[in-house]
Amino acid sequence: GNSVTQMEGPVTLSEEAFLTINCTYTATGYPSLFWYVQYPGEGLQLLLKATKADDKGSNKGFEATYRKETTSFHLEKGSVQVSDSAVYFCALRMSGGSNYKLTFGKGTLLTVNP
Amino acid sequence: EAQVTQNPRYLITVTGKKLTVTCSQNMNHEYMSWYRQDPGLGLRQIYYSMNVEVTDKGDVPEGYKVSRKEKRNFPLILESPSPNQTSLYFCASSLGGRSTEAFFGQGTRLTVV
């Protein structure tokens, strides 16, 4: 079946540090790829997405590129802020009949210290 | 404002006492689903619905029921809760299709004692 593997962390960084969270996937077919973020006490919200190979999703200074050859979708940000502290989930979505299920990685807790 | 609303946010109940977690969306989405989030396991799909009166099992459906009598509502029913259903639950809605954004509720933290 389909699966997503991401570095589990926790990841602790100082403000203005560079962030990379690795994400790789296994899928029978051609998925769309997503990064969702979960701030403390809240639901998940979409951070960025990419729907085909070589697409780059970007939002709020975060970027990720859909790499079909390496089946990866690594999240990067050049300079993190304290407000980026959250749990980050990599996910894929495929059309499997009528179930547009999101398959998630286990999440990566990011803590950014001032 | 586009949103998915779940209630309650927190619930403590006893084993075997039936409960319902409500979910409502105001975006006219046809696709809705329930997930549970557990430490070390990420989010797993419980049930989904493609439209009114159309529901089906996800990856972990045991012990849960759902219904979809109206397009906006998708309640999750635990007829006889057990301690292993203690978890954080999320409802999500979206348009159909593999590239569309899913919108999530704020979550319901359920504890079964």
Side-chain angles (χ1 to χ4, degrees):
Chain A
N2 302 325
S3 66
V4 174
T5 302
Q6 63 179 104
M7 55 187 284
E8 292 187 24
V11 175
T12 302
L13 296 173
S14 298
E15 208 164 20
E16 300 183 3
F18 183 84
L19 169 71
T20 299
I21 302 177
N22 290 335
C23 171
T24 57
Y25 68 90
T26 302
T28 52
Y30 202 179
S32 290
L33 301 174
F34 302 82
W35 277 99
Y36 279 86
V37 59
Q38 184 179 29
Y39 297 105
E42 297 185 13
L44 282 76
Q45 55 187 273
L46 179 68
L47 180 60
L48 53 85
K49 71 176 185 180
T51 60
K52 61 182 188 297
D54 300 325
D55 264 4
K56 178 187 280 188
S58 61
N59 186 26
K60 299 181 181 179
F62 291 89
E63 293 183 339
T65 301
Y66 190 142
R67 301 285 187 203
K68 192 165 181 241
E69 63 277 12
T70 55
T71 61
S72 64
F73 193 54
H74 305 320
L75 182 68
E76 296 183 337
K77 186 175 186 183
S79 176
V80 295
Q81 306 300 312
V82 172
S83 57
D84 294 327
S85 298
V87 180
Y88 292 81
F89 291 93
C90 185
L92 66 81
R93 193 171 205 187
M94 298 190 59
S95 52
S98 61
N99 187 7
Y100 299 107
K101 178 178 75 173
L102 280 159
T103 299
F104 288 92
K106 294 182 180 180
T108 302
L109 173 62
L110 170 66
T111 302
V112 181
N113 294 318
Chain B
E1 179 190 356
Q3 60 184 4
V4 178
T5 303
Q6 286 179 236
N7 281 296
R9 291 288 308 277
Y10 302 91
L11 179 59
I12 301 174
T13 190
V14 296
T15 299
K17 185 177 180 183
K18 181 179 178 179
L19 67 92
T20 300
V21 183
T22 63
C23 173
S24 181
Q25 50 96 3
N26 63 0
M27 294 166 279
N28 202 36
H29 288 160
E30 60 264 22
Y31 183 80
M32 298 184 74
S33 57
W34 277 101
Y35 294 84
R36 61 178 287 174
Q37 183 181 13
D38 300 291
L41 296 177
L43 285 90
R44 295 175 292 167
Q45 189 188 55
I46 303 170
Y47 267 94
Y48 68 96
S49 169
M50 269 304 295
N51 216 323
V52 175
E53 303 293 1
V54 182
T55 64
D56 207 346
K57 297 175 181 179
D59 296 322
V60 288
E62 294 77 20
Y64 304 94
K65 285 177 55 178
V66 293
S67 69
R68 188 94 180 270
K69 293 184 169 51
E70 304 165 283
K71 196 172 186 179
R72 63 184 292 122
N73 295 324
F74 189 45
L76 179 70
I77 303 155
L78 285 72
E79 298 233 323
S80 183
S82 62
N84 65 11
Q85 293 178 298
T86 293
S87 187
L88 180 57
Y89 292 87
F90 289 101
C91 179
S93 78
S94 70
L95 296 171
R98 70 175 185 85
S99 62
T100 60
E101 174 184 358
F103 292 82
F104 285 80
Q106 289 194 293
T108 296
R109 185 166 291 283
L110 171 66
T111 302
V112 183
V113 298

